[in-house]
C-alpha cells in the first residue's frame, strides 16, 4: 500500500461477492418447490457449524463443514437424497452466482487505485474455482483463507491474515462484508469496515458498528469516489 | 460420587429445564400477535451472540448478551419499544416456565441416587432466581456458570467446570441438554450425553452423537431406571 494512498480492501466472499442464495436452483433438483428453503437452512447451519467448531477448537475444513451442513439440512427438510447425491449437491458452492454489481464495482475500485483481495472462511480449493467461474478471480489478490489458521471467523487469527498479507495494520485496511456478524468480528480485530447491508437489516448489537454501510457494492465504490473507469472521475 | 454408583448428572438450563419459548407471553406485551416470533428471534440471536463473542474472545456476561439480543430482535421485528422497556422485558429470563415434567424427573433421578446439578451459560444471578421461581432450585447442586471462565459453550473451558466441581472425569458424568449443538460440545469434551430431543430434530452433523436421546426428561429417568420415588423401583 502506498502510504496515504487508496486503502487496500479485503472482501468477504460468501454472501458478499457471491450469492449463497443461488444454491436454491441446485437444491430444487432434490427438493422441488422448496429449493430456497433448503438452501437457506443449509447456509444457516454452515455458519453455525463454523462458529461452534471454531469456538470449541474442533476445526474441520470448510468443504467438510459445507457437506455436513447440507446433510443436516436435507434430513431436516425431509427430502430423500442419496449420500453420493449430497456430495454432488455440495458442489453448488463452486458455482455460485456473483452479485450482479460485483465485477463492475471491483473494476471501478481497482481503477481508483485500491488493491482488492478476499478474506474468507472458504478453502482455497473452493474459493478459486468459484471466483473464476464468477468472472472475479482476475480482479482479486490476495485470496486469503481461514484454513491457513484452522479457525473460522470471527476468531482474531483469521482476521490477522489480512495485515500479515498486506503488510500494514488492520486499521489501514477496509474490510467489506454483507454479514453483520463478520463486520463485528473485523471491527473487533481493528479493521475499518463497510457493511453491504443487502437486506436492510438492523445493526448487530455487538459493540462494533460498521464505519459505513450501503445496500450494494456500488454504494461502496461511490462512497470511495471510484467512478466509472471509462469516464472522468 | 460413589465409584460405580449412579453417575452424577449435569443439566443444561435454557431449553432443557426451563422453557425459553415461555418468553412469548412477555413479548406479546410489546408485539401483540407476534410474541412467539419475537421470542424465537431473541433466543436465536442470544445463542449466536454467545458463539460469536466466545469464539472471538469478546466475552460479556449472559445478562448483557440477553439484553443485546433482545434489542436486535425488537428492531428486526419492527416493534416500537422504549429502551427502558427492553431491559424490563429482558427480565423475562428470570421467570421462565419449567418444562412440565422437570421437577418430577429430577425428583425421581435424585431418589435413584443421582446427584443432579446444572452447567449453563447463564449468570448465577440469572440462574438462581429463575430456578427458584420454577421450583427447581432445591433439586439442583451444583449450579455451574460459564461466567466462571468467561467463555460460552461449546468452549471446552466451560465443560471443564463439571469435572472440576464434581471431582471425577467428564466420562463419568452424564450431561443432559435439549440443544443438539450443546450435546456435541459436551461430547467433544468427553461427557456421556443424553439429548432431550423435544422437537424430534435430526442429529447434528458434528461428529459427536449423543449416547442416548428421548423426547422428555421423563425418558431419561426411565432409561436410568429411576422410577416413581413413592412407588417400588
Amino acid at each position: 500500500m502506498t502510504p496515504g494512498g487508496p486503502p487496500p480492501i479485503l472482501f468477504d466472499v460468501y454472501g458478499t461477492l457471491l450469492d449463497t442464495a443461488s444454491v436454491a436452483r441446485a437444491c430444487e433438483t432434490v427438493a422441488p418447490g422448496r429449493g430456497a428453503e433448503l438452501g437457506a437452512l443449509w447456509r444457516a447451519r454452515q455458519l453455525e457449524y463454523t462458529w461452534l467448531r471454531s469456538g470449541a477448537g474442533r476445526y474441520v475444513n470448510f468443504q467438510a463443514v459445507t457437506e455436513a451442513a447440507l446433510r443436516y439440512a436435507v434430513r431436516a427438510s425431509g427430502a430423500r437424497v442419496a449420500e453420493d447425491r449430497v456430495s454432488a449437491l455440495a458442489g453448488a458452492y463452486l458455482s455460485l452466482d456473483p452479485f450482479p454489481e460485483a465485477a463492475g464495482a471491483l473494476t471501478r475500485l481497482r481503477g481508483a487505485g485500491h488493491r482488492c483481495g478476499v478474506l474468507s472462511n472458504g478453502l482455497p480449493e473452493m474459493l478459486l474455482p468459484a471466483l473464476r467461474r464468477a468472472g472475479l478471480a482476475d480482479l482479486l489478490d490476495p485470496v486469503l483463507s481461514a484454513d491457513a489458521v484452522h479457525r473460522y471467523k470471527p476468531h482474531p487469527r483469521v482476521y490477522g491474515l489480512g495485515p500479515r498479507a498486506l503488510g500494514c495494520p488492520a486499521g489501514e485496511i477496509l474490510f467489506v462484508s454483507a454479514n453483520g456478524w463478520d463486520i463485528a468480528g473485523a471491527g473487533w480485530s481493528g479493521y475499518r469496515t463497510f457493511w453491504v447491508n443487502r437486506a436492510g437489516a438492523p445493526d448487530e448489537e455487538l459493540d462494533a458498528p460498521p464505519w459505513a454501510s450501503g445496500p450494494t457494492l456500488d454504494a461502496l465504490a461511490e462512497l470511495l469516489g471510484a467512478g466509472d473507469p471509462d469516464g472522468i472521475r
Side-chain angles (χ1 to χ4, degrees), chain A residues 9 11 109 174 176 194 211 216-226:
Chain A
I9 308 176
F11 294 82
L109 289 164
L174 184 59
V176 178
F194 182 90
W211 167 68
T216 63
L217 295 165
D218 281 337
L220 167 67
E222 278 155 36
L223 180 70
L224 297 181

Side-chain angles (χ1 to χ4, degrees), chain A residues 135-224:
Chain A
L136 304 180
D138 292 344
L139 303 170
L140 295 161
D141 173 61
V143 173
L144 305 174
S145 166
D147 192 60
V149 293
H150 282 205
R151 292 288 186 286
Y152 287 114
K153 298 174 182 177
H155 195 287
R157 274 198 232 162
V158 179
Y159 297 106
L161 293 168
R164 216 200 295 169
L166 298 177
C168 65
E172 293 176 16
I173 304 171
L174 184 59
F175 180 80
V176 178
S177 180
N179 299 295
W181 61 270
D182 191 15
I183 289 297
W188 287 334
S189 284
Y191 287 83
R192 203 149 57 106
T193 56
F194 182 90
W195 184 23
V196 186
N197 186 1
R198 297 187 186 281
D203 275 9
E204 295 292 344
E205 290 280 341
L206 290 166
D207 308 322
W211 167 68
S213 65
T216 63
L217 295 165
D218 281 337
L220 167 67
E222 278 155 36
L223 180 70
L224 297 181

Side-chain angles (χ1 to χ4, degrees), chain A residues 22-193:
Chain A
S22 63
V23 299
R25 274 197 314 276
C27 291
E28 278 287 319
T29 64
V30 301
R34 290 181 301 139
E37 186 194 332
L38 175 57
L41 180 56
W42 179 10
R43 170 65 173 159
R45 222 59 172 196
Q46 181 195 49
L47 283 178
E48 282 189 26
Y49 285 0
T50 61
W51 297 332
L52 291 165
R53 285 190 168 277
S54 190
R58 291 271 162 174
Y59 183 83
V60 298
N61 75 35
F62 199 65
Q63 181 66 36
V65 164
T66 300
E67 293 193 16
L70 178 57
R71 281 197 303 276
Y72 179 90
V74 162
R75 272 191 287 117
S77 76
R80 300 220 173 284
V81 188
E83 188 67 24
D84 60 339
R85 193 77 189 285
V86 169
S87 291
L89 183 53
Y93 263 81
L94 303 181
S95 53
L96 296 171
D97 295 342
F99 284 100
E101 83 283 13
L106 288 171
T107 302
R108 291 158 66 196
L109 289 164
R110 282 163 54 93
H114 295 276
R115 182 173 180 183
C116 295
V118 304
L119 174 57
S120 168
N121 275 339
L123 277 178
E125 301 91 295
M126 299 174 74
L127 291 171
L128 295 171
L131 293 171
R132 221 175 283 129
R133 281 196 210 195
L136 304 180
D138 292 344
L139 303 170
L140 295 161
D141 173 61
V143 173
L144 305 174
S145 166
D147 192 60
V149 293
H150 282 205
R151 292 288 186 286
Y152 287 114
K153 298 174 182 177
H155 195 287
R157 274 198 232 162
V158 179
Y159 297 106
L161 293 168
R164 216 200 295 169
L166 298 177
C168 65
E172 293 176 16
I173 304 171
L174 184 59
F175 180 80
V176 178
S177 180
N179 299 295
W181 61 270
D182 191 15
I183 289 297
W188 287 334
S189 284
Y191 287 83
R192 203 149 57 106
T193 56

